[in-house]
Amino acid sequence: MRKLLPCLYQAHVAGLLHPAGRILGVSRSELDTAGFLEKVDSDSKIHIKQNFSEEAWASFIKRIHYLTVDVTRPEDFKALAEAVKARRETDNVVIYLSTAPKFFAPACAELANVGLNGSNVRIVLEKPLGTDLKSSQEINTDVARYFQEEQVYRIDHYLGKEALQNLLALRFANLVFEPLWNNKYVKSVQLTIAEQLGVEERGEFYDITGALRDMVQNHLMQMLCMTAMEAPKSLDADDVRDEKLKVIKSLKPLTYADVDTDVVRAQYTESKGMNGYLQERNVPAGSRTETYVAIKAEINNERWAGVPFYLRTGKRLTGKVAEIVLNFRDLPRHIFENSQAAPNRLVIELQPAESVRLYTQVKTPGAGNKVELTALSVDMGKEIQGRRAEAYERLLLDVINGKLALFNRRDELEAAWEWVMPIMENWENSSTPPHGYPADSWGPEAARNLLARNGDKWHEEQ
Ligand code: BG6
């Protein structure tokens, strides 16, 4: 209601959906199409932020139908097969499974049972795809019983963000950055996804998930891959995914001792009239679930050995921002009075704005030989023409058009799980509780200390 239908509406308005394309809403709720459309009208329309017109809306909802399908009732899948029968011989069918992880396997089995797994069928799997390496492998193995890998679209909406894709253009369509993009010139890299929201109404889901599974294993890992990967042979799906996989495989494995020193977990506490995590609805007393994670990671390859990659994410932080920061090394010598104060820095902001800023020293006007940092910057939203699609719109259109490059391959996803497993295991067996940080702050002191050890600072303190 909030993401998928509004995104399909935008694609409809932009003329990017085939005129004969149909959307079939499917869930356990006992509704008919008219009842479903009432819900769509009340719950989905309000999330359309641009290009709304009653006329376009009326033509869009003509595409929508509804069918009740309970994953435990085989007869419902027969009805589903019947509902798409007229079209499935000639057209592509996209099946989007947004469900608890335990239902992926039975849903795929039932779909296969009624023949909805032919080569023209694509299946989208929405996260969470399991809760650890083992359960994720089981899901992938079960899905693979019924669908070929090239039919499977594991979605991570961060990959649909225009600014993250722009990172590939920045790196591989320009000459000037790539020669500097390595341990010779880069001192450290910071990847941040900071949110101001708390866990809201999602306490129940969040408490069994936590920030590591919700954000690090997927979104931050993808940001890391796009930042650190080598140039792919081409932009074809497997060329890009091969390079991303190499990054994850080159990450230095964390021992339990490394987790103690290089990983910080924390929970927000009551502050400025805002609840602490433990006061949120549906969060059990004494929960140790982390709402904040900071990690110092290292990539053991030629390009990056010795450069710390700091990853962090948290809820109820002071700002909402997703960004990648490359801190360059200091100059070998200084001839201006004060230039040693601040080396160059490249900031790629994914949201809320989409921008690239290269902090560069320029001379302070007047007598004397002082310099100061100022940004050479591109604000993509303002300076580059063209409609900017929401991540989900881009990704849905890619599924419809059979483009896999922005989706995770099984080996990538499992490698990411493998890397985070020691963190999860260490926490499960640890008697040390998470750190606290006040709601509306930039996180715990321990995360500042993590960087201070190497003489580094988080971006907001630089
Ligand atoms: C989702 C997480 O995948 O990403 C949420 O489950 C989080 O907890 C969201 O709020 C953040 O996405 P975005 O696009 O708003 O940064």
Side-chain angles (χ1 to χ4, degrees), residues 2-3 126-127 156-158 161 193-195 197-199 202 205-206 209 213-215 218-219 315 320-322 351 390-392:
R2 203 156 59 84
K3 294 275 192 202
E126 180 60 88
K127 84 181 192 20
D156 179 323
H157 78 283
Y158 264 67
K161 290 189 193 270
I193 305 178
E195 297 187 273
L197 292 178
V199 298
R202 298 162 82 213
F205 158 80
Y206 198 85
T209 308
R213 291 185 178 94
D214 193 37
M215 303 294 286
N218 33 61
H219 305 325
K315 299 227 179 252
K320 175 171 170 64
V321 68
Q351 61 188 30
E390 284 266 338
Y392 271 106

Side-chain angles (χ1 to χ4, degrees), residues 48-91:
I48 296 172
K49 305 280 186 255
Q50 50 182 336
N51 303 325
F52 185 79
S53 80
E54 287 296 346
E55 200 188 341
W57 180 252
S59 67
F60 172 64
I61 61 172
K62 284 202 188 114
R63 295 178 183 272
I64 303 178
H65 303 265
Y66 181 82
L67 193 69
T68 304
V69 175
D70 184 323
V71 79
T72 62
R73 289 197 307 238
E75 63 275 20
D76 288 0
F77 284 82
K78 289 204 183 94
L80 175 63
E82 197 53 36
V84 296
K85 192 166 133 210
R87 307 279 302 277
R88 65 189 254 215
E89 300 304 325
T90 48
D91 297 350

Side-chain angles (χ1 to χ4, degrees), residues 23-235:
I23 302 162
L24 182 61
V26 163
S27 84
R28 281 176 302 173
S29 308
E30 300 281 349
L31 290 169
D32 56 10
T33 293
F36 182 64
L37 285 178
E38 270 174 40
K39 260 179 88 61
V40 171
D41 207 71
S42 61
D43 299 353
S44 192
K45 209 161 125 175
I46 44 170
H47 296 293
I48 296 172
K49 305 280 186 255
Q50 50 182 336
N51 303 325
F52 185 79
S53 80
E54 287 296 346
E55 200 188 341
W57 180 252
S59 67
F60 172 64
I61 61 172
K62 284 202 188 114
R63 295 178 183 272
I64 303 178
H65 303 265
Y66 181 82
L67 193 69
T68 304
V69 175
D70 184 323
V71 79
T72 62
R73 289 197 307 238
E75 63 275 20
D76 288 0
F77 284 82
K78 289 204 183 94
L80 175 63
E82 197 53 36
V84 296
K85 192 166 133 210
R87 307 279 302 277
R88 65 189 254 215
E89 300 304 325
T90 48
D91 297 350
N92 290 324
V93 180
V94 172
I95 297 167
Y96 195 113
L97 295 181
S98 178
T99 168
K102 65 177 179 200
F103 294 126
F104 285 131
C108 288
E110 292 298 349
L111 288 167
N113 211 13
V114 295
L116 275 174
N117 64 337
S119 57
N120 62 334
V121 178
R122 294 170 194 152
I123 187 142
V124 185
L125 305 179
E126 180 60 88
K127 84 181 192 20
L129 254 87
T131 53
D132 57 13
L133 176 61
K134 186 163 168 285
S135 56
S136 142
Q137 283 169 330
E138 281 165 6
I139 290 170
N140 282 325
T141 302
D142 283 332
V143 172
R145 274 190 239 288
Y146 311 107
F147 293 90
Q148 305 293 319
E149 179 65 24
E150 60 275 12
Q151 293 175 276
V152 183
Y153 292 70
R154 297 177 191 82
I155 204 161
D156 179 323
H157 78 283
Y158 264 67
L159 285 175
K161 290 189 193 270
E162 198 61 56
L164 197 55
Q165 294 159 37
N166 186 49
L167 182 57
L168 295 191
L170 190 76
R171 292 189 55 195
F172 304 127
N174 291 295
L175 181 73
V176 292
F177 297 108
E178 212 39 30
L180 301 177
W181 212 272
N182 56 49
N183 47 13
K184 195 162 170 216
Y185 297 103
V186 176
K187 178 169 187 283
S188 68
V189 180
Q190 290 181 21
L191 309 171
T192 298
I193 305 178
E195 297 187 273
Q196 284 177 313
L197 292 178
V199 298
E200 312 288 287
E201 301 302 307
R202 298 162 82 213
E204 204 175 334
F205 158 80
Y206 198 85
D207 200 67
I208 51 170
T209 308
L212 188 73
R213 291 185 178 94
D214 193 37
M215 303 294 286
V216 178
Q217 186 271 344
N218 33 61
H219 305 325
L220 271 174
M221 197 59 90
Q222 291 300 323
M223 274 166 68
L224 172 83
C225 288
M226 303 284 264
T227 308
M229 69 195 259
E230 299 297 319
K233 202 162 79 189
S234 76
L235 291 175

